[in-house]
Amino acid sequence: MKTVAFIGAGSFGTALSTVVAAKGCKINIYDIDEPHLKRMEDAMENIDYLPGVKLSGDYHFFTDAEDTVKNADIVVFSVPAQHFRSAIKSAAPFIKEDALAVNIAKGIEQHTLKRMSEVAEEYFDMQRYACISGPSHAEEVGLEIPTALAVTSANPDTTHTIGELFSTNRLRLYSNEDMIGMELAGSVKNVMAVGSGIIDGLGYGDNTRAALITRGLAEMTRLGVKLGAKSETFAGLAGVGDMIVTCTSMHSRNFRCGRLIGQGMSPEEATESIGMVVEGMFTAEAVYELSQKAGIEMECVRIFL
Ligand SMILES: NC(=O)c1ccc[n+]([C@@H]2O[C@H](COP(=O)([O-])OP(=O)(O)OC[C@H]3O[C@@H](n4cnc5c(N)ncnc54)[C@H](O)[C@@H]3O)[C@@H](O)[C@H]2O)c1
């Protein structure tokens, strides 16, 4: 049976670990936050980020990236986007030559404006690298609520292997060939989710939210196509699918953070009050800079800045 390593024991990494643990895989988990990892190991539950989902199966907890990945067949990077570079940089030298890597982080790196695969290619062989994205609250994946995701890689065999590994009768991964589109859609929708929360917090209605989702989707599609993505991707799971899930649900930290801002908190107070990483807040500026460079007007992003 395969060994699957997770770099980052947050909400979504933990939820995905339960999927492969239930299939009999050995799970290695590492997190830089040692007290958090210890609580998780003692309780066999991610009390801090995914309470209510018990961990069962062959779990092993590590405080060192090398030990976590050195015997793994698959390495999943499950850290926030702004931590992805440090995570892959520290783990990549120890990943086996035939092992695959998967990223689930949604965001654009600040300052470099790189997508996650553009960061990854500095450290890892892209033929063995995949990205998973799409509409998925960790809370629902952890409870085995039926979910569909998208997976992509430069190599169709890698896409297929990762798709098969994480698919169950409750979770289905659809293959996609558009890494650029999937990454951009996943990043921009977090910004839109903050905006949708602001709309809710201000007491506006469904009409306003529908306007943001629809216009936001048009803007992200235009940006994506300009940067080499396929427009169909934005009409699929990683695009409109993820917009729906993130822009309409209290499960989304981005949405909750926006709601607090709409109710009158400053962005700093709102982020602090969520107590976990709010990707959309980091991504807004990077997406706006990217759109300016590409010469694409993104009004739904500009209003944040
Ligand atoms: N939460 C969800 O429902 C969900 C769903 C799909 C995708 N995502 C994406 O997945 C990514 C991770 O989100 P999350 O909600 O699981 O994160 P999280 O905030 O719940 O947890 C992230 C974890 O990563 C750890 N970490 C940070 N830097 C690290 C490093 N260098 N090495 C090891 N561990 C490190 C933190 O200590 C923390 O435990 C984000 O980009 C998010 O957009 C989240």
Side-chain angles (χ1 to χ4, degrees):
M1 202 33 94
K2 285 188 162 52
T3 297
V4 186
F6 287 82
I7 302 292
S11 319
F12 201 47
T14 303
L16 285 181
S17 79
T18 65
V19 173
V20 278
K23 287 179 133 184
C25 293
K26 179 181 170 192
I27 308 296
N28 290 351
I29 290 203
Y30 162 71
D31 199 285
I32 40 167
D33 182 348
E34 289 188 21
H36 156 60
L37 199 67
K38 182 79 175 64
R39 279 192 293 280
M40 190 167 160
E41 182 173 11
D42 289 347
M44 281 303 275
E45 179 179 344
N46 190 338
I47 296 163
D48 298 320
Y49 297 111
L50 197 65
V53 177
K54 280 285 177 193
L55 306 179
S56 64
D58 192 11
Y59 273 83
H60 303 265
F61 297 84
F62 293 86
T63 52
D64 176 83
E66 178 177 349
D67 291 341
T68 314
V69 304
K70 68 184 181 195
N71 296 317
D73 303 296
I74 316 283
V75 178
V76 180
F77 289 92
S78 41
V79 299
Q82 304 310 323
H83 299 254
F84 178 65
R85 180 181 292 277
S86 66
I88 194 163
K89 190 176 177 181
S90 60
F94 309 110
I95 297 177
K96 284 193 300 185
E97 273 187 11
D98 58 348
L100 304 181
V102 184
N103 168 55
I104 61 159
K106 295 171 179 172
I108 305 287
E109 189 175 52
Q110 290 179 308
H111 310 302
T112 66
L113 307 185
K114 289 190 171 187
R115 290 176 283 104
M116 296 299 103
S117 63
E118 293 177 300
V119 175
E121 71 188 1
E122 294 180 33
Y123 308 99
F124 198 73
D125 168 16
M126 296 313 280
Q127 293 296 311
R128 295 184 287 126
Y129 175 90
C131 159
I132 292 178
S133 193
S136 48
H137 295 310
E139 294 83 347
E140 295 189 1
V141 172
L143 296 174
E144 296 181 60
I145 290 174
T147 300
L149 291 171
V151 55
T152 188
S153 166
N155 181 343
D157 291 340
T158 301
T159 306
H160 180 75
T161 304
I162 298 303
E164 290 275 298
L165 178 71
F166 286 97
S167 286
T168 66
N169 60 357
R170 294 301 181 114
L171 178 64
R172 179 161 176 183
L173 273 72
Y174 287 80
S175 299
N176 186 307
E177 292 173 354
D178 182 11
M179 176 80 75
I180 300 175
M182 273 181 53
E183 289 184 321
L184 284 173
S187 305
V188 181
K189 67 89 198 182
N190 280 335
V191 184
M192 300 301 166
V194 178
S196 182
I198 293 174
I199 285 169
D200 205 65
L202 285 168
Y204 295 162
D206 295 341
N207 295 357
T208 329
R209 176 178 299 121
L212 177 85
I213 292 176
T214 317
R215 296 310 310 155
L217 199 60
E219 288 183 1
M220 72 161 84
T221 306
R222 274 202 294 273
L223 176 69
V225 169
K226 183 75 189 275
L227 296 177
K230 295 180 182 157
S231 63
E232 306 92 86
T233 303
F234 298 89
L237 289 166
V240 70
D242 213 355
M243 282 284 267
I244 292 170
V245 101
T246 324
C247 291
T248 61
S249 172
M250 284 295 279
H251 277 315
S252 164
R253 296 169 202 176
N254 295 289
F255 180 83
R256 292 204 307 275
C257 183
R259 206 160 178 262
L260 294 173
I261 296 170
Q263 288 167 347
M265 277 191 191
S266 70
E268 294 72 27
E269 285 169 338
T271 311
E272 173 91 28
S273 153
I274 296 294
M276 293 185 270
V277 173
V278 182
E279 290 281 27
M281 299 299 281
F282 290 104
T283 309
E285 212 165 313
V287 169
Y288 186 66
E289 275 184 55
L290 209 54
S291 70
Q292 290 296 101
K293 278 193 166 180
I296 300 292
E297 184 56 39
M298 293 191 79
E299 214 181 347
C300 298
V301 177
R302 183 173 49 76
I303 51 170
F304 285 95
L305 307 170

